[in-house]
Amino acid sequence: NDNHDKFADEVNVRDFLSEWGVDTGNTVPGGMLGSPAHDGGTHAPKRKLVLMQRKKGKLGKNLGKTTGWIHRASLHKSNMVEMLDSVSYEKIDEEGNLHIKIGEGSNIKERVLKVDNIILCAGQTPRDELEKEAKDDEIMSRKIYSIGGAYEALELDAKRAIDMGTRLALKISDNSVLPGKHEFKARSGPEEKLFGLMKYLSL
């Protein structure tokens, strides 16, 4: 049935290699035939999507440092995904249309999106209630620590949560380690400094 959007496991290897211009016969240097435009192949999307965020900047800029580029490229190649930043959500009217404003200051545009579905990603807030409640208990006050998004909700970052938990585990027997003062960071290594420089130059 070709009337539904394909799931990841329904896309075969041949279609993937063809879409991304991979030369399986090694007939060209680098093994890449180029990046042909999306031609509505076997898994052409059946819907048009509008992705929006409140903050200014490229959508998904800080997510998926190793594979995020291919996801963003896939969305662009589909010609069916529109990405908007600096968006404020005004209302959903009685007909289910989403009213938004795009931009900042004097450069604001109003727009009404006639949509079938609205999916809300509501963001995060820290959840450190248990740690705070334990402060009044002489024993538990030194045993409960919040880490990751529960400690500081910035963006979804599993690497930061794992790093914080690992460093806390290595120091947790130290009497100087107290809840609320348990975030430890290593000095930036050469790889991290190089990555930071490359990120800065790409802005």
Side-chain angles (χ1 to χ4, degrees):
N1 182 6
D2 291 331
N3 293 321
H4 75 282
D5 292 331
K6 297 286 187 180
F7 294 101
D9 58 359
E10 294 179 296
V11 180
N12 63 45
V13 174
R14 184 183 61 186
D15 290 339
F16 179 87
L17 296 178
S18 175
E19 180 175 353
W20 290 98
V22 178
D23 177 19
T24 58
N26 290 323
T27 58
V28 296
M32 297 298 293
L33 297 171
S35 300
H38 193 282
D39 59 0
T42 56
H43 57 284
K46 304 299 189 296
R47 302 178 180 87
K48 183 175 181 179
L49 304 178
V50 181
L51 301 181
M52 296 168 280
Q53 68 180 23
R54 290 177 297 174
K55 66 181 179 181
K56 184 178 180 180
K58 184 187 298 183
L59 274 70
K61 177 181 178 181
N62 298 319
L63 300 178
K65 299 237 180 342
T66 55
T67 58
W69 68 271
I70 196 170
H71 297 309
R72 286 191 294 271
S74 297
L75 296 179
H76 282 297
K77 281 164 62 69
S78 73
N79 293 321
M80 297 294 284
V81 179
E82 182 180 6
M83 301 186 188
L84 303 173
D85 66 309
S86 301
V87 174
S88 63
Y89 313 106
E90 301 301 309
K91 67 176 181 178
I92 301 174
D93 63 28
E94 294 179 354
E95 297 180 357
N97 301 320
L98 178 61
H99 294 243
I100 64 173
K101 290 183 179 179
I102 308 169
E104 300 175 342
S106 59
N107 188 28
I108 294 179
K109 298 179 180 179
E110 295 186 6
R111 186 170 166 185
V112 178
L113 302 178
K114 297 182 178 180
V115 296
D116 297 318
N117 298 280
I118 298 174
I119 301 175
L120 178 65
C121 301
Q124 305 178 83
T125 56
R127 296 299 303 268
D128 57 354
E129 295 90 342
L130 187 59
E131 180 182 318
K132 290 179 178 178
E133 291 177 5
K135 286 183 178 180
D136 297 328
D137 188 287
E138 183 177 353
I139 298 177
M140 297 303 294
S141 62
R142 300 184 62 87
K143 293 188 176 182
I144 297 179
Y145 301 84
S146 302
I147 65 170
Y151 176 77
E152 185 178 19
L154 296 174
E155 292 181 341
L156 238 88
D157 190 344
K159 180 181 177 182
R160 180 169 60 88
I162 295 170
D163 180 83
M164 187 177 181
T166 301
R167 296 184 189 282
L168 173 60
L170 293 172
K171 290 178 173 286
I172 201 166
S173 60
D174 190 327
N175 290 330
S176 65
V177 178
L178 300 173
K181 298 179 180 179
H182 59 278
E183 184 177 16
F184 309 103
K185 297 181 180 179
R187 295 179 179 177
S188 297
E191 296 88 355
E192 189 172 355
K193 290 179 180 178
L194 178 60
F195 177 79
L197 176 61
M198 294 174 64
K199 184 177 180 181
Y200 173 77
L201 294 175
S202 67
L203 295 177

